[in-house]
Amino acid sequence: MIIVRPIFTVLGLIFFGLGFVGMFLPILPTVPFWLLSAACLMRGSARLYEWLMTHPQYGEYIYQYREAKAISTGTKVIAIGTLWAGIILSIWVLPVMAVKIFLAGIATAVTVYLASLTTLQPGDLTEARSSYADFIHTEFGRKV
């Protein structure tokens, strides 16, 4: 059991890193890697799990997706916009037609997936933020 915690910690850090890289490379999904990171860190390092879940940029989004499988309209717009900006740039630069078609297919599938997620409405967003604040206070004894 002693060796399991460090393995989960290392996996959590790797998944977080892949999610971070996914913010800039449209072929790598950000949120699934960060969800895996949170799950691994929860089992491997309480300190890093707390850092991730209370992080001002990432924590609330991970919590909202994990609990409600929902994201805000703004998050959808930014995610789809940056996805397609990166894909279009990649298609423009890459010379191989098969790779261009593959990237366009992935981008289309991710767009459909993101569009199919429940959209948090302003009232839902307020409730989700309150729920997130309760989670942080209960789980870590901190205020958001």
Side-chain angles (χ1 to χ4, degrees):
M1 193 66 168
I2 294 172
I3 197 158
V4 173
R5 290 178 58 91
I7 290 172
F8 275 120
T9 301
V10 168
L11 286 173
L13 292 172
I14 289 169
F15 289 136
F16 181 80
L18 288 171
F20 187 78
V21 170
M23 290 171 53
F24 307 102
L25 293 176
I27 197 79
L28 288 175
T30 300
V31 173
F33 282 125
W34 283 352
L35 292 172
L36 283 170
S37 176
C40 289
L41 291 176
M42 183 171 52
R43 291 162 181 78
S45 171
R47 185 177 58 84
L48 289 173
Y49 175 67
E50 180 178 348
W51 171 83
L52 179 62
M53 294 306 292
T54 59
H55 193 280
Q57 255 61 48
Y58 316 124
E60 186 175 342
Y61 294 112
I62 294 169
Y63 177 79
Q64 288 172 0
Y65 186 85
R66 190 180 77 180
E67 296 299 315
K69 305 268 186 298
I71 57 177
S72 68
T73 303
T75 302
K76 280 186 182 186
V77 169
I78 290 169
I80 292 171
T82 56
L83 167 73
W84 279 101
I87 290 293
I88 289 169
L89 177 65
S90 298
I91 288 172
W92 182 61
V93 170
L94 293 171
V96 182
M97 183 56 75
V99 175
K100 292 179 180 188
I101 292 169
F102 178 71
L103 288 176
I106 287 176
T108 301
V110 171
T111 300
V112 168
Y113 173 73
L114 288 172
S116 71
L117 288 174
T118 303
T119 302
L120 291 171
Q121 301 302 321
D124 297 337
L125 199 51
T126 302
E127 185 178 323
R129 285 192 176 124
S130 174
S131 176
Y132 172 69
D134 290 344
F135 163 75
I136 295 302
H137 181 69
T138 303
E139 189 79 13
F140 307 114
R142 295 172 67 179
K143 291 189 177 186
V144 178

